[in-house]
Amino acid sequence: MKRILLINCLSIALLIAFSSANAQIQMPQPSPAGSVSTTVGLTDITIDYFRPGVKGRKIFGEGGDYLQPYGQIWRTGANNGSVLTLSTDAMIGGQSVPAGKYLIFTVPGADEWRFMLYKDLSIGGNTAAYNKDNEVLNIGVKSNKTSNTVESLTFQIHDISADNTEAKIAMAWENVALRIPVKVSFDDIVMADIKAKTQVDPNVYIQAANYYYTTGRDLEQALAWMDMGLQANPNAFWNIHMKAQILAKMGKKKEAIETANESMAKAKASGNDFGYVKRNQDLINSLK
C-alpha cells in the first residue's frame, strides 16, 4: 500500500513539474540573440552573439560609473558572450588565425581597444576564468565615435573587397564603433581542387582555364584546358568567347579576333545570345 502511495505521489509531482514547465510565459529576452554570417572568398565567417541594449545607461568610460569601464576585460555581448566561427584559416588584424570557433573578448579604451579571440568556449562569458594561454589573437584596434547612439550591440561583416580576399568585422554599441580587418586566401584550395577534379571531370577544364585567366597564371595552360573543355561542347559560344579573351591576353590578336568571330556567329545562330554578340564585337574592336 505504501509503495502504491509513493508511486502515486511521484506521478503527481512529475505531472505538476511538467505542467509548470509548459505553463511558463514566453517573453522577449533582455538581450536577444543575434547572428551575422557571410562568405569571403571560400571562407564562411559567422558571429553568434547576444545583444544588450543601452537602456539609458552609461556604457563605456573611465571609472565605476560606467557599465564597462576602460581597461577591464569584457565578454563583448551578453549571456554566454560572442562566438566567431571561421571555416578556413584567415588573417585577422594582420595575424594568422586557424579555422575554428572562438569567443570574442575585448578590453575597451578611450582611443584603442584590445580585441581577443579565445579558444576555450567552455568559459562562456565568464571573464574571471580568462586564461591568456588560451588566447589565439590579441590585437589593438582603433575605436571610433558613432554619429548616433547605437541602442543594441551590433556586429556586421562588410566592406568585402573586389577580389573577394578582404573584409571588415564591424562592432558598434552606444557611441563606439570598431572595424577589424580580415584577409583570406583561397588560391591553394582552388589549385588543389583543379588538380583533383580535372582528372575525373573534363568539364572542370573550363573552370580551371577561367581561374588561370582571371588570376593571370600560365595562359598557355589556360588555353590548353579551354580547348579540352570545348571538345565536350564545341558550340558553347560563351566558352569560345573566353578562349578569345585568353588569346587576346596572350597577345595573339589575329587568333583572338578569329575566335571572337566564331563565338559571335554561334551566338547569333543560337536564338538567344545572352549579350555575347556585343561582347565579342567589343573585344574585336579593342584588338583592331
Side-chain angles (χ1 to χ4, degrees):
M1 183 68 179
K2 290 182 178 179
R3 183 179 178 185
I4 293 173
L5 183 61
L6 178 60
I7 292 172
N8 287 338
C9 289
L10 287 172
S11 298
I12 293 170
L14 288 171
L15 181 61
I16 292 172
F18 180 77
S19 299
S20 297
N22 284 319
Q24 291 181 4
I25 298 172
Q26 289 187 339
M27 298 177 64
Q29 296 298 307
S31 300
S35 182
V36 60
S37 179
T38 195
T39 301
V40 183
L42 295 175
T43 304
D44 296 326
I45 304 174
T46 302
I47 300 173
D48 296 301
Y49 64 110
F50 292 92
R51 309 183 66 188
V54 174
K55 301 175 183 177
R57 301 173 294 182
K58 295 192 294 184
I59 307 299
F60 304 115
E62 191 72 55
D65 291 339
Y66 292 87
L67 180 67
Q68 185 56 49
Y70 291 155
Q72 293 187 18
I73 190 169
W74 179 40
R75 58 185 166 175
T76 319
N79 302 338
N80 289 325
S82 303
V83 176
L84 170 71
T85 304
L86 298 170
S87 66
T88 74
D89 299 351
M91 299 288 289
I92 298 180
Q95 295 187 24
S96 179
V97 178
K101 291 179 178 286
Y102 304 101
L103 285 164
I104 299 173
F105 287 96
T106 50
V107 178
D111 300 309
E112 182 182 85
W113 286 36
R114 302 305 300 179
F115 179 88
M116 296 96 80
L117 294 179
Y118 193 84
K119 65 183 179 181
D120 180 10
L121 271 62
S122 68
I123 72 169
N126 182 11
T127 56
Y130 194 94
N131 182 342
K132 285 190 71 69
D133 291 341
N134 290 318
E135 269 186 5
V136 175
L137 179 76
N138 188 326
I139 58 172
V141 179
K142 184 179 182 298
S143 64
N144 297 292
K145 295 294 183 182
T146 61
S147 56
N148 298 305
T149 298
V150 179
E151 176 61 32
S152 297
L153 173 67
T154 301
F155 276 102
Q156 291 181 314
I157 305 166
H158 60 185
D159 285 355
I160 299 175
S161 62
D163 63 359
N164 221 354
T165 62
E166 298 181 34
K168 296 286 193 308
I169 294 173
M171 188 212 83
W173 193 32
E174 194 200 26
N175 58 358
V176 176
L178 305 178
R179 289 162 60 85
I180 301 98
V182 179
K183 188 169 185 177
V184 301
S185 175
F186 48 80
D187 192 65
D188 290 345
I189 299 172
V190 174
M191 294 299 292
D193 220 24
I194 288 172
K195 183 177 180 180
K197 291 181 178 177
T198 50
Q199 296 174 9
V200 296
D201 184 359
N203 292 323
V204 178
Y205 287 124
I206 298 293
Q207 298 174 39
N210 199 334
Y211 185 73
Y212 265 42
Y213 168 80
T214 302
T215 57
R217 293 180 177 274
D218 184 348
L219 294 177
E220 290 286 354
Q221 179 64 77
L223 183 61
W225 276 335
M226 182 58 70
D227 285 335
M228 293 171 72
L230 282 169
Q231 289 177 12
N233 188 359
N235 292 317
F237 54 84
W238 51 93
N239 290 331
I240 298 172
H241 175 73
M242 174 54 65
K243 178 180 176 179
Q245 288 182 296
I246 294 171
L247 288 165
K249 200 170 185 178
M250 294 172 71
K252 298 182 177 183
K253 291 187 177 181
K254 180 181 177 182
E255 294 92 333
I257 291 172
E258 290 174 353
T259 305
N261 277 318
E262 179 189 355
S263 173
M264 185 158 52
K266 291 184 176 180
K268 289 178 178 177
S270 69
N272 190 344
D273 75 313
F274 299 105
Y276 275 88
V277 170
K278 183 179 186 304
R279 293 189 193 187
N280 281 293
Q281 189 60 63
D282 289 346
L283 179 59
I284 292 168
N285 292 341
S286 71
L287 295 172
K288 289 181 177 179

